[in-house]
Amino acid sequence: MVAQILASNVCALQIKQKVTEAVRSLQSLQGITPGLGVILVGDNPASQAYVGHKQRACKEVGIYSEKRSLPDSASEAEIISVIERYNQDTNIHGILLQLPLPQNVDPIPLLRCIHPDKDVDGFHPYNLGALVQRRPRLRPCTPKGIMTLLAHTGEDLTGKHAVIVGASNIVGRPMGLELLLEKCTVTICHRFTKKLPDVIASADILVAAIGKPGVIQSDWLPTGVIAIDVGFNYSPSGKISGDLCFETAKEKAAWITPVPGGVGPMTVASLLENTVEATRLQHPVSESV
């Protein structure tokens, strides 16, 4: 078996087209241009690159964006001050606090300060709680994007065993909630999970979200699995790889996402969707993206 490649180029383009239409509709019907405020703390090169990519994507679809950069030394109070300014700014409909933050800054109290209606990353307890209660509002972008990719396969997910390797607040935990909504049986694995190869061998869907290559071996994968690789890793030589070995894993999987070109663009596309949805929460309209 050789896997079908679950690349995001078509899905992401379709989302961008729908968002562009939604932005034009908001502008023509209500005179509103969705606005995104981005907060970047520190000088992490990867974070700077991600923020630049997100702002370029906003420009492509007509969303206004602005960035506020703070130094590594910024205090919690200084960051909260920027968040509160964006909370009160009626031209900013979505707030993105770029993660990770410097090691001396705890993101949890900062994320709680973002107004739930402007929480386009979907990390505020109110929005995560809504997802737990099966009434999703603004959903975490990477899991949301993955669900869009899974829908693109045309597979019925009902009853499938979904194994998530990695239990982060950003991907693993909300990913489990998203898959539960699609009636999957969900197992979330972490560093204390015993017999990981056996758990993975029972998967119909595998979401690899460790952030470290080489942990999951391709011979652990069952034939016909849908393999979603969230990892984005740089080797010492600068080569980009996922958490899975793409060349060997594709021989076992029915579907597999490449790295790059798989999950990453869907995360950005979902952010654009969320920014429009946040605008509509603040300025209700009858249409939906």
Side-chain angles (χ1 to χ4, degrees):
M1 171 177 289
V2 178
Q4 297 185 71
I5 308 304
L6 195 51
S8 60
N9 52 349
V10 174
C11 286
L13 180 60
Q14 289 174 344
I15 290 173
K16 286 182 177 180
Q17 289 171 339
K18 291 172 67 178
V19 169
T20 300
E21 292 170 3
V23 169
R24 289 172 180 166
S25 176
L26 283 164
Q27 290 170 332
S28 64
L29 295 177
Q30 293 187 274
I32 297 168
T33 296
L36 176 68
V38 182
I39 304 169
L40 178 61
V41 184
D43 55 2
N44 183 308
S47 291
Q48 290 177 333
Y50 294 148
V51 166
H53 183 51
K54 291 168 184 175
Q55 289 197 287
R56 287 191 295 274
C58 284
K59 187 175 182 180
E60 287 177 17
V61 300
I63 292 173
Y64 166 75
S65 70
E66 64 178 56
K67 178 181 70 174
R68 178 69 188 274
S69 296
L70 297 172
D72 275 322
S73 59
S75 67
E76 181 178 294
E78 289 173 316
I79 301 170
I80 289 174
S81 176
V82 177
I83 292 172
E84 289 299 339
R85 182 169 69 82
Y86 279 148
N87 279 339
Q88 299 301 320
D89 190 338
T90 56
N91 293 315
I92 295 297
H93 305 95
I95 302 172
L96 172 66
L97 178 63
Q98 180 62 39
L99 302 177
L101 296 172
Q103 290 186 347
N104 61 314
V105 182
D106 182 1
I108 300 300
L110 301 176
L111 294 170
R112 287 175 179 163
C113 289
I114 297 173
H115 192 288
D117 288 352
K118 295 191 175 188
D119 170 38
V120 289
D121 252 342
F123 295 150
H124 190 282
Y126 184 85
N127 289 320
L128 286 173
L131 185 58
V132 169
Q133 294 180 332
R134 295 179 285 183
R135 288 176 169 81
R137 299 173 80 248
L138 297 172
R139 297 152 57 192
C141 295
T142 297
K144 180 181 180 182
I146 291 170
M147 296 310 297
T148 304
L149 284 174
L150 288 172
H152 189 70
T153 68
E155 298 275 352
D156 181 3
L157 304 186
T158 302
K160 289 189 181 297
H161 183 203
V163 173
I164 303 162
V165 186
S168 73
N169 291 339
I170 295 174
V171 180
R173 294 168 191 258
M175 188 76 249
L177 296 172
E178 289 280 3
L179 288 161
L180 281 172
L181 283 177
E182 290 299 317
K183 304 179 181 65
C184 293
T185 299
V186 178
T187 300
I188 301 179
C189 302
H190 44 76
R191 59 179 173 159
F192 299 109
T193 298
K194 297 179 180 179
K195 298 182 179 179
L196 181 61
D198 292 342
V199 178
I200 291 174
S202 68
D204 299 304
I205 302 165
L206 173 66
V207 180
I210 308 172
K212 185 181 295 184
V215 174
I216 301 173
Q217 303 299 309
S218 295
D219 59 7
W220 300 353
L221 273 60
T223 300
V225 70
I226 301 173
I228 306 294
D229 194 343
V230 184
F232 197 90
N233 310 292
Y234 288 95
S235 70
S237 65
K239 182 180 179 182
I240 297 171
S241 67
D243 288 350
L244 302 175
C245 176
F246 180 80
E247 292 303 321
T248 52
K250 72 178 183 180
E251 301 298 325
K252 301 288 291 291
W255 293 88
I256 189 170
T257 57
V259 177
V263 172
M266 295 304 298
T267 298
V268 176
S270 295
L271 172 66
L272 302 177
E273 280 187 309
N274 279 358
T275 303
V276 169
E277 182 60 28
T279 306
R280 287 176 169 159
L281 286 172
Q282 294 156 62
H283 303 277
V285 293
S286 59
E287 300 171 349
S288 62
V289 176

